[in-house]
Amino acid sequence: MYVRVGSRPAQDAPGAEDDETAGDHAAGQATVGGAVLGGLAGAGERVRAARALLDRPLTSYYLIAGITTLLLCLGLVMVLSTASVADLTQGKSPYRDFEVQLAGIVVGVPVMWVAARCQPRLFRAASYPLLTVAAIGLFLILIPGVGVQVNGATRWIALGPLTVEPSEIAKLALAVWGADLLARKEKLGMLSDWRHMLVPLLPGTGVLALLVMSGHDLGTTFILLLIFLALLWFIGTPGRVFAGILIFMLLVLLLLAVTESYRVKRLTGFWDTTSASSTSVTWQSTQGKYALGSGGIFGVGLGASREKWGWLPESTSDFIFAIIGEELGLVGTLCVTALYGGLAFAGLRVARRAPDSFSRLLSATITVWIVGQAVVNIGAVIGVFPITGVPLPLVSQGLSSVLVTMLGLGMLMSFARREPGASQALAASGPSPGGRALSWLRQGKRRGT
């Protein structure tokens, strides 16, 4: 018996071709797997790089400054687009309201710049004077002949050709005064008793809210109560106390809403979508939705809105977001929403890194005030909330609103400059463009030029 010990060549062996194909397939799978792993590794590197960028000391400062600039520029463009129509119909220059808004921003920029470089102790020293100015202004608008009434609401004081809205000052005053009050009580160890959290903060808020409601301004009253609740939340009010106050305030707001017939119509009209008459309370909301829907994905183009030609009431202020949706489309509205989201992130980041209670309370409260007001405005336009008549911060037309909001953001930037490591980073970056300009002017004066 003979045994065959030799073998055929490898290429002639049975299954050799299958083995080679399997090897190629395995190599291909390894290549694809390596590419996937490499992509995941690259994505991980990008995520880590983004997190490192966000962890930089001055991230909050530059985010607030950048987002504020973008919203102000957008507001100027939209005010020019919408207010020019109203100015033309009144026989005025189409640039009148735009020039007023631009003048307010020109004044507001140095105010915000100065506030960003002030010490927090200066804000604390200004808390009671600011509250006094707001209260006096709210008293003055109740005097016949002094307060200016528009659309049934008395909110303004005429100062020559301009009007001032004291309720806007009241928002910032309540935030600064409340933060200073609670910070002092926390330092004295008085907040272990929840009653010290409410007195005198609750009575002070109540007085401001009643003065604002005397001018038939339910929207600003709601924002004041939102600021009050933010102060209580961030100081650590017990859950049962906070829930009780929240329920009480909702009942008060409901009571205030049903005491006026036009507010009742607004509430009932919020659920009524059948009426399309120009005299109905749902007309403004309906036209706002038409403006948003007609904009599509990319909008009809800047200045090409149809709704602003007398169809949509308050298109320059309360419903300017609807015109943004019509002219800039879904992309534009999402970008605006993302900007306010970025502002919320930056503001709460400043509050989390604040070195003292006052800075933490005020930065968080200012963030809740501005972003919360934006949420209320946008929610009313898209039909999620009833119409309350609050402007879109930094975008809507309104001199007082823009100036006070910019002052609040300047305070927020001041706290951002005092985050851990921020002062060292600013010193390493050298003087700012404004500082270089001032230095150049001083050198010029020394040379006698």
Side-chain angles (χ1 to χ4, degrees), residues 429-445:
S429 62
S432 63
R436 288 193 293 268
L438 291 175
S439 176
W440 180 81
L441 289 174
R442 286 194 294 267
Q443 290 175 3
K445 288 181 180 180

Side-chain angles (χ1 to χ4, degrees), residues 343-359:
L343 190 60
F345 167 79
L348 294 178
R349 183 178 185 269
V350 172
R352 183 171 59 86
R353 297 187 171 200
D356 59 275
S357 296
F358 173 76
S359 301

Side-chain angles (χ1 to χ4, degrees), residues 222-223 226-227 340 343-344 364-379 385 388 390-393:
F222 175 78
I223 299 300
L226 181 65
I227 292 171
Y340 286 111
L343 190 60
T365 304
I366 288 174
T367 303
V368 171
W369 152 38
I370 296 175
V371 178
Q373 183 171 316
V375 170
V376 171
N377 177 277
I378 295 173
F385 303 135
T388 55
V390 296
L392 188 62

